Amino acid sequence: MPSDPNIVLSAHDELFIIDLAKVLFMKADDHYTDVHYATGAHFLVPFGLVKIEARIAALPDAQPTLVRLGRKYIVNTRRIFRINTVKELLYLTCDDGTTQSIHIPKPVLRDLIETMSRQINNTPAQQE
């Protein structure tokens, strides 16, 4: 039985372990990343989203549910329950049944809707 996916990051005599199964979303904060868990916990790590995204992609069983949205976010698509392009909001479900919304630019949300629709319908992307 495989263990829950984690990424381990170290810097300046510190070790950071991010449990990817618990991630609701991650938000860029200058050269740091604010990690938000579905439990409501959140913490800051001294690494940018680019480094975290690369670590996720390097996992043996890469996490296709964690997707980069624009410059500021990595989001757990399994937690999405509503996308509102008019208000530019993405709604996520937390473990306790509450919801959290994050502001995402309209073009990024439209791309996400198209990608998720293709995945749900199991259709290939259109060639342009």
Side-chain angles (χ1 to χ4, degrees):
M1 179 176 196
S3 61
D4 287 335
N6 293 320
I7 56 172
V8 179
L9 305 160
S10 61
H12 310 294
D13 298 326
E14 286 187 281
L15 186 70
F16 299 89
I17 301 168
I18 300 174
D19 184 344
L20 299 178
K22 294 181 181 178
V23 169
L24 185 63
F25 68 91
M26 298 181 219
K27 181 180 179 184
D29 186 1
D30 198 19
H31 296 291
Y32 296 86
T33 297
D34 194 8
V35 179
H36 290 256
Y37 281 169
T39 60
H42 64 95
F43 52 92
L44 201 62
V45 295
F47 302 94
L49 277 184
V50 170
K51 184 166 187 162
I52 292 173
E53 184 179 28
R55 289 287 178 95
I56 292 169
L59 289 171
D61 299 322
Q63 296 294 303
T65 58
L66 295 173
V67 297
R68 180 76 180 256
L69 296 181
R71 292 175 34 203
K72 292 181 79 170
Y73 293 99
I74 293 175
V75 174
N76 184 341
T77 58
R78 289 184 180 167
R79 295 291 182 158
I80 296 172
F81 79 94
R82 181 178 176 199
I83 301 171
N84 187 324
T85 56
V86 174
K87 293 182 180 178
E88 297 184 337
L89 291 173
L90 180 67
Y91 297 87
L92 305 163
T93 305
C94 300
D95 284 349
D96 63 1
T98 61
T99 62
Q100 188 160 354
S101 63
I102 54 177
H103 182 267
I104 305 283
K106 195 177 291 187
V108 175
L109 289 177
R110 286 186 177 141
D111 288 345
L112 178 62
I113 288 171
E114 183 179 322
T115 300
M116 290 184 76
S117 294
R118 274 196 316 268
Q119 288 173 348
I120 290 167
N121 297 323
N122 203 17
T123 57
Q126 290 182 343
Q127 298 292 324
E128 293 186 30

